[in-house]
């Protein structure tokens, strides 16, 4: 587990920007002490590999995450190829994130064997990277004996991240992953919960669960004007309270409140939905406020046992200004907090 000075801070987002816009952002982030950049494969956003290749070409140090790929939309063989290419292009700075996948019911996909699918995907990717051609006869996926990548890889093992709130998927992460990521939370109490959920899998594999990296992926809205930052956070963050709030066992949600939020979101009224979210509840799911507020929140997360935080856009009232406040005021203060 980590303290404030050891907290790794990255940026994470679903890609919607224009081609060419990612290289300057990545260069700026690296030059100003951001540790990692992750682009998520959220449904109907730009596929993450393109933006990450721009980032790889523009940077030398920052780690790059191919985030939340799901084998229900991308076959494990293609996942292996994508992460291998990113790893080669970045000189060995890639990691791979696997998830069950959200919102896929809209595509009519059957996700009932999600745990098995993610396990078998991780197995196939690992086999292909180390050129193991013995084959695999899985329940969801198969890899015929003799099949292998037709090119050299940069590394024969790439760090694996599993993103989940699920107890069973968390146990799988404890068994096979390097990192477990909880999306849409900024709740310090969840750090112990998710590590405890991963512990049975770690025990099965003969691993120490404390060696598993725990990461959170909350939205960030930082500004000198606390009220303005909180207003935007409410409008943009109400969907996370509605979508994942019921998954947090440490939060007592009023079903009637969630139903009202859901109805307003369905009508496109994000501001109205946000106004219903109490401030204390909002801060369980995202990070917002002044730079000092954000520092305090991140230090609290680190003290609770969170090892990494991938902060998501919009970052601030204005994205560029939010990033400036993050790197100029927040990061130095977080890293000095335990000295």
């Amino acid at each position: 587990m980590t303290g404030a000075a050891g907290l790794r801070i990255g940026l994470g987002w679903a890609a919607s920007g224009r081609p060419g816009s990612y290289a300057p952002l990545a260069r700026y982030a690296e030059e100003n002490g951001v540790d990692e950049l992750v682009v998520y494969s959220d449904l109907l956003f730009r596929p993450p590999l393109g933006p990450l290749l721009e980032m790889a070409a523009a940077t030398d140090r920052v780690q790059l995450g191919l985030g939340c790929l799901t084998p229900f939309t991308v076959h494990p063989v293609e996942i292996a190829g994508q992460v291998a290419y990113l790893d080669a292009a970045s000189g060995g700075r890639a990691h791979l994130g696997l998830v069950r996948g959200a919102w896929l019911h809209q595509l009519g996909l059957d996700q009932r064997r999600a745990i098995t699918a993610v396990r078998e995907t991780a197995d196939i990717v690992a086999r292909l990277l180390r050129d193991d051609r013995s084959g695999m006869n899985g329940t969801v996926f198969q890899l015929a004996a003799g099949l292998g990548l037709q090119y050299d890889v940069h590394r024969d093992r790439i760090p694996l991240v599993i993103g989940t709130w699920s107890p069973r998927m968390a146990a799988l992460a404890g068994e096979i992953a390097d990192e477990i990521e909880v999306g849409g939370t900024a709740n310090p109490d969840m750090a112990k919960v998710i590590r405890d959920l991963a512990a049975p899998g770690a025990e099965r594999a003969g691993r120490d669960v404390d060696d598993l990296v725990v990461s959170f992926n909350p939205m960030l809205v930082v500004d000198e004007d606390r009220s303005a930052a909180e207003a935007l956070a409410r409008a943009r963050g109400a969907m996370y309270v509605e979508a994942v709030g019921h998954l947090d066992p440490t939060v007592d949600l009023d079903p009637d409140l969630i139903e009202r939020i859901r109805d307003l979101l369905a009508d496109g009224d994000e501001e109205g939905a946000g106004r219903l979210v109490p401030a204390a509840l909002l801060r369980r799911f995202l990070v917002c406020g002044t730079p000092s507020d954000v520092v305090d929140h991140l230090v609290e997360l680190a003290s609770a046992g969170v090892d990494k935080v991938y902060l998501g856009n919009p970052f601030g009232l204005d994205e560029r200004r939010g990033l400036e406040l993050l790197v100029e005021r927040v990061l130095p203060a977080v890293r000095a907090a335990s000295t």
Side-chain angles (χ1 to χ4, degrees), residues 84-116:
Y85 197 95
L86 177 62
D87 200 52
S90 65
R93 292 183 282 136
H95 70 250
L96 170 64
L98 296 178
V99 295
R100 176 183 185 272
W103 303 294
L104 298 188
H105 65 280
Q106 299 173 93
L107 305 181
L109 297 176
D110 182 354
Q111 295 177 275
R112 285 175 294 182
R113 295 183 291 182
I115 307 295
T116 301

Side-chain angles (χ1 to χ4, degrees), residues 200-259:
E203 184 176 356
R204 281 197 302 269
R207 307 170 75 193
D208 186 344
V209 72
D210 285 342
D211 292 335
L212 181 69
V213 173
V214 170
S215 61
F216 284 3
N217 168 223
M219 177 189 295
L220 170 68
V221 184
V222 60
D223 194 82
E224 291 96 338
D225 185 335
R226 179 184 289 117
S227 296
E230 185 173 292
L232 179 58
R234 286 177 181 280
R236 297 287 295 273
M239 63 177 290
Y240 295 102
V241 177
E242 186 276 327
V244 301
H246 68 286
L247 300 174
D248 188 330
T250 75
V251 174
D252 186 16
L253 293 178
D254 178 352
D256 291 336
L257 172 64
I258 297 303
E259 188 64 31

